[in-house]
Amino acid sequence: MPENLNALADSTDMVEALDRLQAMAPAVESVSLVVAWFGDDLRAGSCKVRPGVEVLAKSTTPASWSVNGVSRASAFLVSRDDQDRPVYGGTPSDFAVVQAMKVRGLRVTFYPFILMDVPPGNTLPNPYSANAAETGQPAFPWRGRITCSPAAGFAGTVDKTATAASQVAALFGAATPASFSVSGESVSWTGPSGDWGLRRMVLHYAHLCAAAGGVDAFLIGTEMPGLTTIRSGASTYPAVQAYRDLLADVRSILGSGTKIGYAADWSEYFGHQPGDGSGDVFFHLDPLWADPEMDFVGIDNYMPLSDWRDGFEHADAAEGWPAIYDRAYLQGNVAGGEGFDWFYASASDRSAQVRTPITDGAASKPWVFRYKDLRAWWSNPHYNRPGGVESGTPTAWAPQSKPIWFTELGARQSTGAPTSPTSSSIRSRRRASRRISRGAGGTTRSSAPISRRHISGGAMPRTTRCPRSTAAGWCMWPNAPPGPGTRGPIRSSRR
């Protein structure tokens, strides 16, 4: 039986998953097609990003596996667990990706994705240690941890130096739109064989999307706070400029008919506040958000919607809320609670529920520190604060100039999900990834537009068929059982 046929119906997992998605959530209008390559190091200057496979030798029909002109035998081989099972599903073949983009009239957002294949027991220098002298990086980490080495805040850090800029440049690589050969719906690499930078991956898929007839939206990157907050000087962010350069090149390939954005982590989109005692506050992504080629502010939104604890001897129960599932309680935490009214200053404060109010002294702009206050962030000019002193001139951000898209919006399937939406074990995340990426073209995600009043008080400008948010996610393995390692169906709401 074919590997990508696990359902009773005589169709591939991807086709069956889409059938069920549209049957259970008929209001779905768009999907995000997530296609992953694999990073192998948390050090930006050493990390290669390559397409990967589960096995190096396998016969497939109707076409042999090939990505960016790389054959299966030459691809990166993903790690295996102690039972000799691949810990990730491999990168789908370009042929399968093209077929997946031709999806039933649904709008498609293309989502290049990085999975970090850093196996247990590795001997790589850990950038998050003094002088990067510690041996061994965390196993299968989040891509958002890719950073300079040594990282900011550790002895010997290269942050705020020219070396940091060099490390960022090494991660992005030197690919240009002209580094590829396009023939029909096939895209191959013609640049240097050793260039495995971010630009190669993203520009490859921009070309592939164009060759397939185009997509509605395209993301140039997702959740890279460890990278975007690297500085080469006191207030210079080289990765932000590198993303702007990449944005211009993707636009040159896809044209004006595609909405292009960056999907920032919810802890990343609103600014860089290093907490190093300097008092620095920089709206570091504003040059990217304000770029004329940027169509929207993308946010992967997993902000906590509760602070519920077991039993009823805790702060929220003492306030009279009956349960974590109470609708009014959860709604009140959309623009309230943690990240809006208060924060935890330490792990011990979190354990004891010692809440520190979010204030801003004489400046009286507490929204600067409220990651949940999207309305104020979107509606106001932004002023950097080097050394804690507010600048006299605003950043490039023009209030209300770009719509906000929740490029991801979701929670895990487990008790307490609203309290910690993205908390799960490394093993569970790897297991979910295997299930997701075994489909012919990656995962699909149901489009679930939410009320604009939660973003902008009803004043957010419209773009074509927007606003948009994307519920994560719809598992490409149709018979995947519910559980901590499975992303199950999320129904969308009608407009």
Side-chain angles (χ1 to χ4, degrees), residues 475-488:
C475 188
M476 289 301 299
W477 186 21
N479 293 327
T486 306
R487 290 180 175 180

Side-chain angles (χ1 to χ4, degrees), residues 235-376:
S235 59
T236 304
Y237 293 85
V240 176
Q241 182 58 51
Y243 271 121
R244 291 188 67 191
D245 297 339
L246 181 57
L247 171 65
D249 286 339
V250 170
R251 177 66 73 196
S252 73
I253 296 169
L254 293 176
S256 60
T258 297
K259 302 296 182 185
I260 303 177
Y262 172 80
D265 185 64
W266 57 272
S267 66
E268 172 191 17
Y269 84 91
F270 68 106
H272 180 212
Q273 302 159 12
D276 56 2
S278 66
D280 285 348
V281 174
F282 289 104
F283 293 90
H284 68 304
L285 289 180
D286 277 10
L288 184 61
W289 298 141
D291 192 293
E293 302 297 348
M294 179 67 67
D295 291 307
F296 58 90
V297 175
I299 302 173
D300 286 356
N301 186 347
Y302 296 95
M303 301 177 193
L305 290 179
S306 76
D307 187 36
W308 201 264
R309 311 296 172 94
D310 290 340
F312 287 89
E313 301 299 320
H314 58 87
D316 289 5
E319 291 178 0
W321 296 110
I324 192 174
Y325 309 108
D326 183 79
R327 183 168 184 168
Y329 169 63
L330 295 174
Q331 286 179 329
N333 280 296
V334 170
E338 185 177 2
F340 191 97
D341 299 313
W342 49 266
F343 71 102
Y344 286 125
S346 65
S348 59
D349 281 0
R350 180 175 293 279
S351 179
Q353 289 193 299
V354 177
R355 298 169 173 176
T356 302
I358 296 176
T359 59
D360 191 32
S364 299
K365 297 178 182 177
W367 60 267
V368 169
F369 304 99
R370 293 173 169 171
Y371 56 77
K372 280 186 180 177
D373 201 346
L374 281 80
R375 180 183 302 174

Side-chain angles (χ1 to χ4, degrees), residues 34-357:
V34 182
V35 180
W37 286 21
F38 297 86
D40 61 2
D41 200 311
L42 287 177
R43 295 170 297 163
S46 303
C47 182
K48 296 184 291 292
V49 182
R50 295 170 285 178
V53 295
E54 298 179 34
V55 293
L56 293 176
K58 183 167 65 175
S59 176
T60 58
T61 58
S64 297
W65 187 95
S66 176
V67 174
N68 192 222
V70 178
S71 68
R72 176 179 291 276
S74 301
F76 172 77
L77 182 64
V78 301
S79 297
R80 306 182 82 83
D81 65 14
D82 55 7
Q83 298 182 52
D84 198 34
R85 300 173 302 183
V87 297
Y88 291 117
T91 305
S93 175
D94 283 351
F95 170 81
V97 171
V98 170
Q99 298 307 305
M101 281 190 276
K102 300 175 179 179
V103 179
R104 315 166 183 224
L106 295 172
R107 300 195 309 277
V108 174
T109 296
F110 197 89
Y111 204 122
F113 199 86
I114 299 174
L115 292 169
M116 296 301 293
D117 194 337
V118 179
N122 68 84
T123 58
L124 297 172
N126 185 357
Y128 294 96
S129 64
N131 300 303
E134 179 182 302
T135 299
Q137 295 179 9
F140 307 114
W142 174 43
R143 64 193 177 281
R145 297 281 285 169
I146 296 174
T147 192
C148 60
S149 180
F154 291 88
T157 182
V158 299
D159 191 45
K160 301 184 187 178
T161 72
T163 300
S166 298
Q167 292 181 5
V168 169
L171 178 63
F172 275 86
T176 71
S179 301
F180 303 84
S181 172
V182 181
S183 176
E185 294 178 344
S186 176
V187 179
S188 297
W189 173 250
T190 60
S193 60
D195 188 337
W196 290 110
L198 282 177
R199 291 180 58 86
R200 178 173 176 175
M201 176 183 70
V202 174
L203 293 177
H204 165 71
Y205 285 119
H207 276 301
L208 195 65
C209 288
V215 288
D216 294 272
F218 188 96
L219 299 178
I220 61 170
T222 67
E223 297 181 17
M224 299 292 279
L227 185 66
T228 62
T229 55
I230 293 172
R231 288 183 274 183
S232 57
S235 59
T236 304
Y237 293 85
V240 176
Q241 182 58 51
Y243 271 121
R244 291 188 67 191
D245 297 339
L246 181 57
L247 171 65
D249 286 339
V250 170
R251 177 66 73 196
S252 73
I253 296 169
L254 293 176
S256 60
T258 297
K259 302 296 182 185
I260 303 177
Y262 172 80
D265 185 64
W266 57 272
S267 66
E268 172 191 17
Y269 84 91
F270 68 106
H272 180 212
Q273 302 159 12
D276 56 2
S278 66
D280 285 348
V281 174
F282 289 104
F283 293 90
H284 68 304
L285 289 180
D286 277 10
L288 184 61
W289 298 141
D291 192 293
E293 302 297 348
M294 179 67 67
D295 291 307
F296 58 90
V297 175
I299 302 173
D300 286 356
N301 186 347
Y302 296 95
M303 301 177 193
L305 290 179
S306 76
D307 187 36
W308 201 264
R309 311 296 172 94
D310 290 340
F312 287 89
E313 301 299 320
H314 58 87
D316 289 5
E319 291 178 0
W321 296 110
I324 192 174
Y325 309 108
D326 183 79
R327 183 168 184 168
Y329 169 63
L330 295 174
Q331 286 179 329
N333 280 296
V334 170
E338 185 177 2
F340 191 97
D341 299 313
W342 49 266
F343 71 102
Y344 286 125
S346 65
S348 59
D349 281 0
R350 180 175 293 279
S351 179
Q353 289 193 299
V354 177
R355 298 169 173 176
T356 302

